[in-house]
Amino acid sequence: MTGVQTCALPISTLRKIQAIKSTVKVIQGSSSAGKTVAILLILINLAQSKNAGIISVVSETLPHLKKGAIRDFLSIMNEHHYFKDSLWNKTNNTYTFETGTILEFFSADTPDKVKGPRRQVLFINEANNISLATYSQLEIRTEGDIYIDFNPVAEFWAHTSLNNSELIIVTYKDNEGLSKSSIEKLEAHKGNKQFWRVYGLGLIGEAEERIYKGWRIIDEIPFEAQLVRRWLDYGYAKDPTAIGDIYKYNGAYILDEQMYKKGLFNSDIANFVLSLNEPQTLVIADRSDPQSTDELRVYGLNILPAQGVSKKTYGIGIVSEQKISVTKRSLNIIKEYRNYLYMKDKNGIVTNEPSPMFDHHMDGIRYAFQSLQDIIGGTAIKAQSERFDRNERIDLNNTR
């Protein structure tokens, strides 16, 4: 491509995508392969070279877009000194290039956009989070190339239901712009076979390893919902501090992310929680750090350490019994939910032990639901969880 600097960019990923001849270009890859950045670079180059009409970049939700593709787009435009504030419509998330090309960002949960006007080029970011029906509506309104990218957590419609498509696999090794420290952090997880297969090698994972299934994504917390618990999973330098809320609504529960951030002191956590809606809601905290819990109590938080059975399988059994929704702004809860997997033994058999990955909110959610067990029928759940803990791989969602 012309006009774009090549320093610190995913050059190999970029070239592999450019080499795809099919109209529908399917880019499957590991973490940190530079898929999204490479596709955006191609789209920016197209938009700058001629009036390419309308280019649409679509992802699951607007919060997901803002923290992903939009952030990457603005970063590229600013780093290469292309960005002009007068051409960026922040309200509509559109950029009108001087050639007349319009690059628009919208979410798949806006039906009027999905079924709206035609476009010349389409990019679906993290397409495994979008339904085949939504893709079909977008595809029939696209005149030219379609780019699809994703981490292959499991097989989905991009593997089974596309015509005239070409699929390539890229990995972090195709991203020459990746820092040494990022490579080391990723490669530190080589021992986790399930994680490494998807996020290191870019190969399709196995859906049977998913711990939780059937959670729904909703727009927002209904006015009538009741806030019943707040969770806290401690972190600092290596891991993020994860804080979230549980609401009860119509016999089911709603999860809402409040915090997911590294480097927080206890004073930061206290000030943040005390600034939230209903600050005296009971917080259930990771019991691995009782000193921090005591200090937070001194700061004025209504907080207790997680109690009861310590085995994760017990808490997983409780959570699995619930009908759960997640607000669409809770990006890290959603990401952990989709990637929270059971480990396999040396023979490749799925165990009942959760992988120690994508578990910060998942641990906090488990603490909080365990604290609610008297409200949600703890005796029956305990019996089911004990059966589950004896390796009787029961389907907790169907247990009566």
Side-chain angles (χ1 to χ4, degrees):
M1 41 194 316
T2 60
V4 176
Q5 303 172 27
T6 58
C7 179
L9 295 177
I11 301 303
S12 295
T13 293
L14 181 61
R15 289 172 177 165
K16 288 181 178 181
I17 296 172
Q18 288 176 315
I20 300 175
K21 302 301 182 184
S22 298
T23 299
V24 181
K25 308 170 194 298
V26 183
I27 300 93
Q28 172 178 312
S30 74
S31 175
S32 304
K35 303 180 294 296
T36 302
V37 168
I39 295 169
L40 287 172
L41 284 166
I42 292 170
L43 299 181
I44 290 168
N45 188 66
L46 174 64
Q48 290 176 328
S49 64
K50 63 179 181 179
N51 187 340
I54 297 175
I55 301 172
S56 300
V57 180
V58 182
S59 194
E60 178 181 21
T61 63
L62 185 58
H64 189 278
L65 271 171
K66 286 182 174 180
K67 287 194 174 183
I70 291 176
R71 179 183 292 176
D72 287 341
F73 170 75
L74 295 176
S75 177
I76 292 168
M77 294 291 287
N78 281 303
E79 286 178 10
H80 294 94
H81 308 292
Y82 299 152
F83 185 79
K84 293 185 178 180
D85 190 65
S86 61
L87 303 180
W88 173 241
N89 186 322
K90 192 173 182 179
T91 301
N92 295 329
N93 296 305
T94 61
Y95 191 90
T96 303
F97 288 83
E98 291 171 324
T99 60
T101 302
I102 297 174
L103 197 154
E104 62 176 3
F105 297 86
F106 65 86
S107 59
D109 60 357
T110 50
D112 58 324
K113 291 281 190 177
V114 171
K115 298 180 180 180
R118 299 183 65 81
R119 66 191 61 81
Q120 281 61 53
V121 180
L122 172 66
F123 170 27
I124 303 181
N125 177 231
E126 298 200 18
N128 50 335
N129 299 328
I130 292 175
S131 70
L132 176 59
T134 297
Y135 168 76
S136 298
Q137 291 293 335
L138 292 166
E139 186 266 339
I140 61 175
R141 292 170 173 80
T142 303
E143 296 176 1
D145 289 340
I146 297 175
Y147 296 83
I148 296 169
D149 80 348
F150 55 90
N151 297 124
V153 176
E155 186 177 71
F156 72 113
W157 53 261
H159 298 107
T160 61
S161 304
L162 298 183
N163 297 317
N164 302 316
S165 65
E166 180 181 344
L167 183 148
I168 64 168
I169 298 175
V170 293
T171 74
Y172 69 101
K173 292 185 177 180
D174 294 303
N175 185 356
E176 291 83 353
L178 196 61
S179 68
K180 182 179 179 181
S181 62
S182 296
I183 293 171
E184 289 173 350
K185 287 179 182 178
L186 181 59
E187 291 184 341
H189 300 294
K190 279 187 175 181
N192 185 325
K193 292 182 179 179
Q194 298 100 305
F195 175 91
W196 190 248
R197 177 177 175 84
V198 175
Y199 295 100
L201 302 178
L203 302 177
I204 298 173
E206 299 178 13
E208 68 179 29
E209 300 165 5
R210 285 270 300 273
I211 291 178
Y212 298 131
K213 299 177 182 178
W215 294 9
R216 295 174 56 247
I217 297 176
I218 62 172
D219 287 341
E220 57 190 16
I221 303 292
F223 179 76
E224 302 84 358
Q226 178 188 4
L227 178 59
V228 293
R229 271 309 177 271
R230 185 162 280 145
W231 72 80
L232 165 60
D233 188 64
Y234 292 115
Y236 186 66
K238 182 181 178 182
D239 297 319
T241 295
I243 301 172
D245 292 342
I246 298 180
Y247 288 81
K248 190 168 186 180
Y249 179 69
N250 283 349
Y253 292 91
I254 300 170
L255 309 179
D256 188 42
E257 179 176 291
Q258 298 295 343
M259 171 70 75
Y260 197 83
K261 189 175 182 180
K262 294 180 181 179
L264 295 180
F265 295 105
N266 287 336
S267 58
D268 298 323
I269 296 172
N271 289 333
F272 177 77
V273 172
L274 292 173
S275 73
L276 294 175
N277 178 45
E278 300 185 45
Q280 288 305 308
T281 299
L282 178 60
V283 179
I284 304 299
D286 178 357
R287 65 178 177 182
S288 68
D289 192 350
Q291 183 175 343
S292 288
T293 299
D294 289 343
E295 185 177 343
L296 289 171
R297 192 177 297 113
V298 172
Y299 278 118
L301 268 63
N302 181 17
I303 187 169
L304 291 173
Q307 300 291 329
V309 179
S310 61
K311 286 189 176 181
K312 289 187 177 183
T313 49
Y314 175 72
I316 287 171
I318 294 175
V319 177
S320 295
E321 275 291 309
Q322 310 315 312
K323 184 178 180 181
I324 292 176
S325 298
V326 186
T327 57
K328 67 181 181 182
R329 75 186 192 98
S330 303
L331 299 182
N332 295 295
I333 296 177
I334 294 168
K335 182 175 182 179
E336 289 195 6
Y337 157 70
R338 288 172 171 159
N339 292 278
Y340 194 40
L341 307 174
Y342 290 114
M343 297 180 70
K344 289 184 177 181
D345 63 21
K346 62 182 180 182
N347 298 314
I349 304 301
V350 178
T351 71
N352 68 340
E353 281 299 315
S355 170
M357 301 288 299
F358 300 102
D359 62 354
H360 309 296
H361 275 310
M362 295 300 102
D363 283 349
I365 290 164
R366 177 167 50 81
Y367 311 147
F369 271 109
Q370 281 186 238
S371 77
L372 289 167
Q373 62 181 306
D374 290 337
I375 299 173
I376 58 181
T379 303
I381 291 171
K382 184 175 180 180
Q384 292 162 357
S385 298
E386 286 172 349
R387 289 169 55 203
F388 181 73
D389 195 35
R390 291 197 300 269
N391 272 323
E392 296 181 21
R393 305 285 305 173
I394 59 174
D395 181 354
L396 292 176
N397 287 314
N398 292 325
T399 302
R400 295 291 184 268

